[in-house]
Structure formats: structure tokens, C-alpha cells
Amino acid sequence: MLTCRAAPVAARRDLVAAGVDVVTCGDTAVDLRGALDAPAERGLRRVDCEGGPTLFGALVAEDLVDSLCLTVSAFVVGGRDGRISTHPLPATPRPMTLESVLQAEGSLFVKYRRLRGTTCDT
């Protein structure tokens, strides 16, 4: 489990007592680079992030996103939220390339991979 120093000590102690590997990354909030370094130091180099638009936006802002898996389903819905990422735009757009597309039961599963060393004209 990844947490920060400001998290309640008792909760962290209970998790450690239960056998959970608790890693502190940051003071008042989880430091995202540290959060990715901690599993890498344990040999875990792939991370699947399903935290929602705020976490995804923070990862994009820190330039920590290498791939994007996107599911497109045939549902018409309303609402105020219109983005998969809620965070200020990065200074430079980050181009990605289509890696795969799968179709099943009317849904598309699309995977994009980050193009390193390229720039995007806006």
C-alpha cells in the first residue's frame, strides 16, 4: 500500500500488523513519482491505474503516462464531466500511437502507447 506521512499512524500500523507492505511516498500527499518508484524497486515495473480523472490528470501532468487503455461502449449518458483527465493541460501535447483495438459485445477496447522523443504542433 502506498501512502503519505500525513496519513493516520494507527491505520498504517494496523496494516503492517496485518502483513501489508506499507510504503510512505511524500509528506502531505502521495508523491506520484515515488509511488511508481516503490513497486519498481520491488521488481514490479507495470502499473495499471484506475483512479479516475483526477489521478489520471495528475499522472499526465507529471509526465508519467506511457499508455492509455480506453473502453468505448454504446451507451448514451448525460452529466457535467466531459474528460478522462481533470488537470491543467501539459505544456507540450504528448502524442500517442494506436497499439491495438479489440471488439466484443458491441464495445471497443482501444490501447494507445506513448511516442517518446516526438513533439506535437498545436
Side-chain angles (χ1 to χ4, degrees):
M1 177 183 158
L2 302 171
T3 188
C4 64
R5 285 180 187 81
V9 174
R12 285 187 278 161
R13 189 178 5 199
D14 292 345
L15 289 169
V16 170
V20 175
D21 185 11
V22 178
V23 179
T24 302
C25 305
D27 293 323
T28 58
V30 173
D31 171 66
L32 296 176
R33 288 189 186 277
L36 292 177
D37 289 343
E41 291 167 0
R42 290 159 174 77
L44 305 170
R45 305 213 185 286
R46 291 185 176 200
V47 176
D48 182 18
C49 172
E50 297 183 9
T54 302
L55 178 57
F56 184 60
L59 290 165
V60 169
E62 292 286 326
D63 199 20
L64 297 172
V65 176
D66 291 325
S67 64
L68 168 65
C69 297
L70 185 64
T71 301
V72 180
S73 298
F75 291 95
V76 177
V77 297
R80 293 179 298 208
D81 298 327
R83 306 263 187 242
I84 63 170
S85 169
T86 55
H87 206 275
L89 291 173
T92 304
R94 299 188 178 105
M96 301 186 92
T97 187
L98 182 63
E99 185 170 288
S100 64
V101 178
L102 300 173
Q103 181 273 331
E105 299 179 13
S107 294
L108 293 176
F109 303 92
V110 185
K111 183 173 185 179
Y112 292 93
R113 172 128 348 250
R114 171 84 183 268
L115 288 173
R116 294 285 178 184
T118 61
T119 59
C120 229
D121 295 328
T122 56

